[in-house]
Amino acid sequence: MRYQQDICVVNFNKQNMTPERAAKIKKVLNHRQDGLVVVMENVHDPHNISAVMRTCDAVGVQEVFVLTTIISRHEKFGKKSSASAAGWLTIHQYEDTASCMDAVRKKCDKIFATHLGVQSSSLYDLKLTERVALVFGNEHAGVTEECLNYCDGNFIIPQMGMVQSLNISVACAIALYEALRQRLNNGFYNGTPQLPENQLKSLAKEWGVYREE
């Protein structure tokens, strides 16, 4: 059974919108990245989910896909307010892998999963200036084989210690900040809007501002 939910709601009083706050929101909108997407598959711990969403907001990821096939669907992602990262993201929730990954594929040309496989590449060898989705799996079992079948490849984060694993929220933060680094070097955060016009206008309306023409 598939369940899909799009969430992008920020609860604040538009009448109290100051020029400074409006300017900040418009700046954030212009830094939102088209074609940089995060997928969380069967991530159980709500603290991990919240931490990933905070990182997504910080680096300009707008769209997050939450796929739950072996755990129960998450009922909520924290308080939907201006103080919560979840309130500033567009969250797509699915219970069916095929439907989820098909939707991701429509937004991205490449899908890479964090997975220690025979042909896994280093994170630092990925070209993250492309339209790309990064998939992070369950805290214990990782990304499922079913989901891996929809991916174009696997990547690992180089580690020099005895324990070859990182918390999912840490792994996601490292990966997304590498994407940020590459995109910064290629002018993706120069103030020119990156999102499609219709999405940009929709978010501006949701967030209580309207883009100046």
Side-chain angles (χ1 to χ4, degrees), residues 26 43 88 112 123 209:
K26 290 178 181 179
V43 176
W88 298 99
F112 296 107
L123 165 67
V209 296

Side-chain angles (χ1 to χ4, degrees), residues 91-151:
I91 303 169
H92 309 279
Q93 194 167 357
Y94 287 87
E95 293 180 351
D96 175 73
T97 301
S99 298
C100 179
M101 300 310 287
D102 286 347
V104 172
R105 180 66 69 181
K106 291 177 181 178
K107 296 182 176 295
C108 300
D109 299 321
K110 298 289 185 180
I111 303 174
F112 296 107
T114 49
H115 178 69
L116 184 59
V118 176
Q119 298 182 354
S120 293
S121 301
S122 167
L123 165 67
Y124 303 111
D125 290 332
L126 299 183
K127 188 176 181 181
L128 299 175
T129 53
E130 297 180 333
R131 293 172 55 82
V132 62
L134 301 178
V135 182
F136 301 89
N138 178 266
E139 291 90 338
H140 303 292
V143 181
T144 64
E145 287 294 331
E146 182 182 10
C147 189
L148 288 173
N149 289 332
Y150 290 89
C151 298

Side-chain angles (χ1 to χ4, degrees), residues 38-46 48-49 52 64-74 77 92-97 100-101 135-148 168:
V38 165
V39 180
M40 286 185 280
E41 186 202 25
N42 295 311
V43 176
H44 176 75
D45 190 337
N48 284 333
I49 294 173
V52 167
V64 176
F65 288 77
V66 179
L67 173 60
T68 51
T69 58
I70 61 175
I71 64 173
S72 299
R73 177 174 61 86
H74 298 287
F77 300 102
H92 309 279
Q93 194 167 357
Y94 287 87
E95 293 180 351
D96 175 73
T97 301
C100 179
M101 300 310 287
V135 182
F136 301 89
N138 178 266
E139 291 90 338
H140 303 292
V143 181
T144 64
E145 287 294 331
E146 182 182 10
C147 189
L148 288 173
I168 175 187

Side-chain angles (χ1 to χ4, degrees), residues 48-59:
N48 284 333
I49 294 173
S50 295
V52 167
M53 289 182 177
R54 286 195 299 272
T55 302
C56 287
D57 175 63
V59 305

